Amino acid sequence: MPGIDKLPIEETLEDSPQTRSLLGVFEEDATAISNYMNQLYQAMHRIYDAQNELSAATHLTSKLLKEYEKQRFPLGGDDEVMSSTLQQFSKVIDELSSCHAVLSTQLADAMMFPITQFKERDLKEILTLKEVFQIASNDHDAAINRYSRLSKKRENDKVKYEVTEDVYTSRKKQHQTMMHYFCALNTLQYKKKIALLEPLLGYMQAQISFFKMGSENLNEQLEEFLANIGTSVQNVRREMDSDVETMQQTIEDLEVASDPLYVPDPDPTKFPVNRNLTRKAGYLNARNKTGLVSSTWDRQFYFTQGGNLMSQARGDVAGGLAMDIDNCSVMAVDCEDRRYCFQITSFDGKKSSILQAESKKDHEEWICTINNISKQIYLSENPEETAARVNQSALEAVTPSPSFQQRHESLRPAGGQSRPLTARTSSSGSLGSESTNLAALSLDSLVAPDTPIQFDIISPVCEDQPGQAKASGQGGRRTNPFGESGGSTKSETEDSILHQLFIVRFLGSMEVKSDDHPDVVYETMRQILAARAIHNIFRMTESHLLVTCDCLKLIDPQTQVTRLTFPLPCVVLYATHQENKRLFGFVLRTSGGRSESNLSSVCYIFESNNEGEKICDSVGLAKQIALHAELDLEEQSRLIAASSRPNQASSEGQFVVLSSSQSEESDLGEEGKKRESEA
């Protein structure tokens, strides 16, 4: 190393300007050294702090890796390969943590201690000596100044002695202080080199020791382990890149395909309604009544599960039962000026729910899906295929059925036109026993082609029903379904012994050409249901059907106003569906013009809550009571009790054919009862 510049201690007593100038240079150098060493100290202290943090973080990492197998992850928590791999890593990292702890100790001893000693001891000593020297120099200058002002003419020995003693003391103090100060400044030139090199030397030795310990721990076996892990990571990365590429392509395809679906109500021509669904899920708005007239709408996720409609709010873990939709009824409704609303009513009519779909497509698909589930199509082996066949049959029903036409043509006699056969009154029967009637029927003889269908009930207040408003004489008067009169006028049904009330929904009505065979009702059901499916008509008017010995009445369930009245003598035929016992219908024979000989027949079709057979039994009982009006009260009670006993319906459904001739009806007697029990 080159020589060290020094301050001349011998010249401290003389205290020449040259010596003071050289002292200033050394003081500037000491200040620069102090600034630089402070910065270096901060940098090395950051290394030391970082090493301590690294040691603590490494130890924490090892601890967390050991606890991995105790964690319970929702996905992939039982990966034994990953657990064993991380356990191996935790052992290695734990050893590295120990090495880092040793390195931290070595850095504290070999790096931080020397530079801290130089900063806290040597540099502070220089600053202290500088302040003391400055004070001593000022005192000496003041003493010399007083000594110089001693009077030549008036000498005072005492004052002269004091001033002389003061100069002596201050000069001695300045000289001694200046010599120690010069010595410290000269020593600082050595100490700064030591303070620079010794911490760096300690840092490098600590790092070398650390690397040696790491080299001993990272043996060949560990290198092989790390190589295998590296290969596994590369494989996972390649698989990830491939999967990400696939997902990106899927996202692009879905963005293109889903662009029209972003519209709340997509174009139905581009996205046709699927009417064959037996399962559906999606968000619906559910109406919840909060008061007599107020209600709220909650958006929830609904899905079908078997014969149940489930609902699940956002954030719920699982869905809950909203409604049992087996044998339920569903129809479109108007509710609070909202679009796409529909109502689901349970099979017993005790529970109903109003829901709102987002689009017309969802609205129709939900209604079709619930209808399919209500028919228990989901229980078949191939539900969607079964639903497709049912819907296809409904679509084909708008035109005459070739198979139905061929069936009747094969049974039709070869020559001449057969005369319609009138059946005796009975409460039940089968198509097999009426084979002669089937031979006389044809499709055109049942329902005329292109016959208009009425899908809603026209209230008597708005429009009189032909042939029944005049006959009933009731008009729009409020009617109590239990036969109690609201005014002084005596009701026609007060004297009736039979009052039975049923919940029904009107499906439609149409004029028919024949009223002497149940096939008329079946064909009307087929055409009305098909027309509803084709024209997307899901709305149904719910009413109360009151069966009395005089008439059948449709009563508004809210206002108790009679909507329609069907005189019982005009009901000439009624039957239930062969398979779906909720469907039933009856034929009403009325006068179509001014002449009583010009008669017309209209078939009305209804849906009930699994009470089709009960309604037919009730109508049959009312007919019997009306025919036996002359019987005493005991005999009428016996008829009602007998009608309450369960009877077996035929495989083709339950029906009754009634003649308009009173003489033929009066011949029922015991023969009719026997035929009823045999059927």
Side-chain angles (χ1 to χ4, degrees), residues 130-416:
K130 181 179 179 180
E131 292 176 358
V132 173
F133 169 71
Q134 191 67 36
I135 294 173
S137 178
N138 293 335
D139 291 343
H140 179 262
D141 292 341
I144 292 297
N145 190 20
R146 286 196 300 272
Y147 180 76
S148 300
R149 289 201 304 268
L150 286 175
S151 177
K152 178 181 178 182
K153 296 179 180 181
R154 294 179 299 175
E155 291 186 0
N156 189 336
D157 294 337
K158 183 179 179 180
V159 173
K160 182 178 179 182
Y161 174 78
E162 291 178 356
V163 172
T164 303
E165 188 67 24
D166 190 16
V167 171
Y168 170 80
T169 303
S170 62
R171 180 169 292 176
K172 181 179 179 180
K173 183 179 179 180
Q174 178 187 356
H175 184 229
Q176 292 176 351
T177 303
M178 194 172 184
M179 287 190 296
H180 286 289
Y181 185 38
F182 278 26
C183 179
L185 289 175
N186 291 336
T187 307
L188 183 64
Q189 301 303 312
Y190 294 96
K191 288 183 177 180
K192 73 174 182 181
K193 295 182 179 181
I194 297 174
L196 285 173
L197 298 177
E198 190 174 8
L200 296 177
L201 180 62
Y203 173 75
M204 296 305 299
Q205 288 177 346
Q207 292 291 346
I208 291 173
S209 177
F210 172 75
F211 290 136
K212 284 183 178 180
M213 289 187 295
S215 178
E216 294 174 358
N217 293 329
L218 300 176
N219 50 24
E220 295 181 357
Q221 184 177 0
L222 182 59
E223 291 180 359
E224 183 179 357
F225 169 73
L226 295 178
N228 294 333
I229 297 301
T231 304
S232 300
V233 171
Q234 293 299 324
N235 293 335
V236 173
R237 186 178 298 277
R238 284 194 294 268
E239 184 178 354
M240 180 191 68
D241 294 339
S242 177
D243 198 9
V244 168
E245 184 178 357
T246 303
M247 288 189 292
Q248 290 293 340
Q249 184 63 39
T250 303
I251 290 174
E252 293 178 1
D253 296 340
L254 289 177
E255 286 179 350
V256 175
S258 303
D259 187 68
L261 297 177
Y262 297 148
V263 181
D265 198 358
D267 188 358
T269 58
K270 296 181 180 179
F271 300 93
V273 177
N274 187 355
R275 305 181 185 280
N276 306 328
L277 297 175
T278 56
R279 291 184 301 174
K280 187 168 177 61
Y283 280 97
L284 296 173
N285 293 327
R287 180 175 179 264
N288 299 319
K289 295 193 67 176
T290 57
L292 294 177
V293 294
S294 60
S295 61
T296 60
W297 293 81
D298 296 332
R299 179 177 169 85
Q300 292 187 357
F301 187 81
Y302 284 81
F303 60 95
T304 60
Q305 190 176 67
N308 298 326
L309 180 65
M310 313 292 288
S311 65
Q312 183 176 0
R314 183 171 295 178
D316 291 349
V317 178
L321 177 64
M323 182 180 290
D324 181 6
I325 54 178
D326 267 340
N327 298 320
C328 74
S329 62
V330 58
M331 59 181 177
V333 294
D334 291 329
C335 186
E336 299 182 3
D337 197 23
R338 286 186 173 235
R339 302 184 303 165
Y340 311 134
C341 293
F342 60 94
Q343 178 176 348
I344 307 173
T345 306
S346 60
F347 71 96
D348 55 2
K350 295 181 179 179
K351 185 177 181 180
S352 65
S353 179
I354 297 179
L355 304 173
Q356 181 191 20
E358 186 176 275
S359 64
K360 182 178 181 181
K361 176 178 179 293
D362 281 346
H363 178 254
E364 296 183 8
E365 284 187 350
W366 271 108
I367 293 178
C368 292
T369 302
I370 296 175
N371 266 325
N372 293 336
I373 295 176
S374 175
K375 299 173 185 175
Q376 298 184 347
I377 295 178
Y378 68 92
L379 297 177
S380 59
E381 294 183 359
N382 297 315
E384 292 193 3
E385 293 183 4
T386 304
R389 289 197 300 269
V390 173
N391 292 329
Q392 184 64 26
S393 300
L395 291 174
E396 294 174 354
V398 292
T399 58
S401 173
S403 60
F404 190 83
Q405 181 75 20
Q406 292 171 4
R407 178 167 68 90
H408 290 294
E409 288 180 356
S410 63
L411 296 175
R412 186 179 300 167

Side-chain angles (χ1 to χ4, degrees), residues 650-668:
S650 65
S651 60
E652 296 295 333
Q654 183 176 359
F655 63 90
V656 172
V657 181
L658 301 174
S659 173
S660 61
S661 173
Q662 183 67 28
S663 60
E664 290 183 357
E665 291 177 349
S666 62
D667 294 338
L668 174 64

Side-chain angles (χ1 to χ4, degrees), residues 275 330-332 364 367 371 453 455-456 507 528-529 531-540:
R275 305 181 185 280
V330 58
M331 59 181 177
E364 296 183 8
I367 293 178
N371 266 325
I453 299 176
F455 293 107
D456 203 356
L507 295 177
I528 288 178
L529 292 177
R532 278 181 167 270
I534 292 300
H535 299 291
N536 299 328
I537 300 175
F538 302 105
R539 189 186 311 277
M540 294 183 289

